[in-house]
Amino acid sequence: MPQQHNNLIGGEWLAGSDYTPNINPSNLADVVGHYTQASAVQLDAAVHAARAAFPSWSASGIQARSDALDKIGTEILARREELGMLLAREEGKTKPEGIGEATRAGNIFKFFAGECLRLAGEILPSVRPGIGVEVTREPLGVIGLITPWNFPIAIPSWKIAPALAYGNCVVFKPADLVPGCAWALADIISRSGISAGVFNLVMGRGSVIGDPLVNHDGIDGISFTGSQLVGGRIAQQCAARLKKVQLEMGGKNPQVVLDDADLGQAVELSVQSAFFSTGQRCTASSRLIVTDGIYPRFVEAIKTRMASLKVGDALQAGIDIGPVSSQSQLDQDMEYIAIGTAEGATLVAGGERLKRDTEGYFMAPALLIDTIAQMRINREEIFGPVANIIRVKGYEEALAEANNTPFGLSAGIATTSLKHATHFKRQSQAGMVMVNLPTAGVDYHVPFGGRKGSSYGPREQGRYAQEFFTTVKTAYTLA
Ligand code: NAD
């Protein structure tokens, strides 16, 4: 009987209304564990526990906070292999990708352990003689954190770590598909020396737990990562209640390949960002925008490279691409391939369901050519191992196509031209721009986020995280 896992509320591990099995997408017969479903009453209790803990936590001092975050980061890094395997087993990333993500999570906690010691304010002269002005940052309060399934340990970490570092209390609702990493993280946090109620975990569905969390009067701000559909609704609910909100949402990221690109490099970075992590990254390149002169060679070379990719059980050695995360995501991927071909695109590689030793959601990475910007497959996020090639005449058209999207998260260019690389960095309407690097794959100590329909509110990560997780106070003193 797999272990049963409970919610963490006010320092106690509490059973919810029911337990849901967490299924391995590489092997549907493998149950990772049973995870409880919080009730709305438990959510309310978690918010009250966080509110009760806030006065002492926010006044606890930066050394105590730094020590707790450092301890969490140290344990995650020490257990990165085990946590990476858990991640691979429940989400379907390959084991090296899972270990990489766990390492990132540990590094994020370490970074914010230092960062909370560096929270600075300003002392300014007043325009009125004899008066001093101080500008300081204070914790926002109790924050609701809502996360998606595709980075089940890194995204919670890059929200929880700054929230705690700057003196806030947390109610964390992970995606219901991946409670395993969330529970493991909560277990580590619960042993870090922080007081009961500072950090709370409530597992359950968005409609049951997420919605009341957003609308709870005891919540001062919501930091959300997920789809545009859900994010847009949360933004409206927060605006109606005048709550601070931060949203990171989807992408339709372009990878431009110019005639003068190094072909081998361009193919490798396109394959990496389009198909690795099964294409289930908000920063994945789903639109490959290729200029005429290199187009025939690029298409042949990427097809050859794709044929060498090994799709299979995420925990097996030598696998490049694990399974799609769920049946509904697999259905969505397949449906978009059908939509694309019905719109006039040509499927030239992959796109079929694959059989392996175990029953899982395996799919061959798909490449569609003859696609144009107006097609739904180039406008809507598919979120699977599906890439579309848009053929263009030259750099100017490539840039225009890259920006021709309702999203604006990440954008890449493969070129040996300094002139075009520099122009692209300046003119791209994305929050993150990559030159001769995959659109996916970023550092943990610098801001992360996008523009247009991809992001809303202050940036996440790095020093910029303080914008959301603190509130500014201006104090005047008569000398
Ligand atoms: P989703 O929007 O379906 O769910 C995200 C979270 O919101 C989950 O925890 C879910 O339970 C919760 N939720 C659902 N309905 C809710 C409601 N009514 N009220 C409150 N919470 C609710 O997204 P997903 O399928 O889990 O994740 C995939 C999406 O996340 C993709 O669009 C992807 O691009 C995006 N994503 C963005 C980033 C980024 O940083 N920009 C990173 C990773 C993933």
Side-chain angles (χ1 to χ4, degrees):
M1 175 74 183
Q3 201 190 335
Q4 291 186 329
H5 300 83
N6 290 335
N7 296 307
L8 179 63
I9 299 170
E12 287 185 61
W13 293 100
L14 299 176
S17 53
D18 205 358
Y19 288 92
T20 304
N22 182 5
I23 305 291
N24 176 352
S26 297
N27 177 4
L28 305 189
D30 176 32
V31 178
V32 180
H34 286 94
Y35 292 83
T36 201
Q37 300 281 302
S39 64
V41 172
Q42 284 185 322
L43 170 77
D44 189 53
V47 176
H48 280 100
R51 286 237 77 88
F54 180 67
S56 68
W57 176 247
S58 57
S60 61
I62 54 176
Q63 188 63 56
R65 303 209 291 257
S66 178
D67 289 347
L69 292 170
D70 190 62
K71 197 167 174 203
I72 297 165
T74 300
E75 181 167 345
I76 293 173
L77 291 175
R79 293 174 53 197
R80 67 178 99 184
E81 183 131 345
E82 171 209 337
L83 292 168
M85 282 172 70
L86 170 65
L87 200 166
R89 193 172 157 210
E90 79 167 346
E91 194 268 350
K93 261 182 203 144
T94 63
K95 186 177 150 190
E97 288 172 334
I99 295 170
E101 187 180 328
T103 304
R104 182 190 178 89
N107 285 333
I108 288 168
F109 276 98
K110 291 276 187 182
F111 173 81
F112 281 104
E115 202 56 15
C116 69
L117 305 178
R118 287 187 281 268
L119 186 65
E122 284 181 285
I123 296 180
L124 301 97
S126 168
V127 293
R128 292 168 288 165
I131 292 177
V133 182
E134 293 162 33
V135 181
T136 52
R137 287 183 179 273
E138 296 183 355
L140 186 58
V142 175
I143 320 254
L145 306 179
I146 302 177
T147 56
W149 50 262
N150 67 324
F151 281 93
I153 193 158
I155 293 180
S157 297
W158 81 53
K159 293 182 190 295
I160 295 166
L164 298 181
Y166 297 128
N168 302 283
C169 291
V170 165
V171 178
F172 167 42
K173 192 215 94 63
D176 35 333
L177 199 62
V178 286
C181 286
W183 189 91
L185 192 55
D187 175 47
I188 293 170
I189 294 170
S190 73
R191 290 183 279 98
S192 67
I194 64 169
S195 319
V198 170
F199 171 84
N200 303 273
L201 169 74
V202 282
M203 297 179 283
R205 298 182 70 85
S207 51
V208 179
I209 297 301
D211 189 66
L213 176 61
V214 171
N215 292 300
H216 201 294
D217 284 341
I219 292 288
D220 299 299
I222 293 286
S223 179
F224 166 89
T225 300
S227 64
Q228 205 187 42
L229 184 73
V230 176
R233 193 181 313 139
I234 288 176
Q236 288 180 14
Q237 291 171 330
C238 287
R241 285 163 183 75
L242 304 179
K243 266 181 203 175
K244 199 167 179 182
V245 65
Q246 170 182 63
L247 310 173
E248 282 300 336
M249 299 168 287
K252 197 71 204 171
N253 310 294
Q255 173 62 58
V256 169
V257 179
L258 296 185
D259 287 354
D260 61 22
D262 174 322
L263 181 65
Q265 184 186 58
V267 166
E268 198 52 39
L269 62 87
S270 300
V271 163
Q272 283 227 14
S273 37
F275 304 125
F276 281 37
S277 298
T278 324
Q280 297 172 154
R281 293 186 283 196
C282 51
T283 47
S285 305
S286 47
R287 296 182 299 136
L288 307 178
I289 300 169
V290 185
T291 51
D292 267 340
I294 199 170
Y295 178 87
R297 285 180 292 139
F298 180 82
V299 173
E300 280 318 303
I302 195 168
K303 277 165 54 186
T304 305
R305 178 68 178 99
M306 286 172 71
S308 75
L309 293 172
K310 290 193 179 60
V311 180
D313 188 322
L315 286 169
Q316 258 173 31
I319 292 298
D320 297 307
I321 297 173
V324 173
S325 62
S326 66
Q327 181 68 55
S328 64
Q329 185 59 55
L330 182 66
D331 292 345
Q332 180 167 310
D333 299 344
M334 294 295 182
E335 194 185 331
Y336 268 109
I337 292 171
I339 290 169
T341 50
E343 282 178 316
T346 311
L347 181 67
V348 291
E352 70 275 13
R353 180 100 192 242
L354 297 173
K355 279 207 174 309
R356 292 294 178 259
D357 291 345
T358 51
E359 198 191 336
Y361 304 121
F362 302 109
M363 168 184 171
L367 184 69
L368 292 142
I369 62 168
D370 304 326
T371 83
I372 55 170
Q374 292 72 23
M375 291 176 174
R376 278 183 65 194
I377 53 167
N378 279 326
R379 300 208 73 74
E380 297 168 17
E381 186 181 49
I382 300 173
F383 216 54
V386 183
N388 315 321
I389 299 193
I390 302 175
R391 185 175 184 162
V392 292
K393 290 199 170 49
Y395 171 72
E396 294 303 329
E397 192 184 345
L399 173 66
E401 284 300 340
N403 288 335
N404 184 5
T405 167
F407 295 100
L409 191 56
S410 183
I413 187 165
T415 181
T416 51
S417 156
L418 180 62
K419 182 179 144 200
H420 286 141
T422 306
H423 192 265
F424 188 79
K425 276 192 279 185
R426 294 195 182 133
Q427 297 301 317
S428 167
Q429 293 166 4
M432 296 175 289
V433 184
M434 313 290 177
V435 177
N436 293 325
L437 285 166
T439 55
V442 293
D443 287 1
Y444 63 85
H445 67 305
V446 288
F448 177 98
R451 298 182 186 178
K452 301 200 270 187
S454 289
S455 300
Y456 183 80
R459 283 280 186 277
E460 296 202 83
Q461 299 194 59
R463 194 160 25 101
Y464 287 69
Q466 60 181 252
E467 280 310 316
F468 178 76
F469 289 104
T470 65
T471 182
V472 170
K473 180 174 279 173
T474 311
Y476 297 84
T477 309
L478 179 63

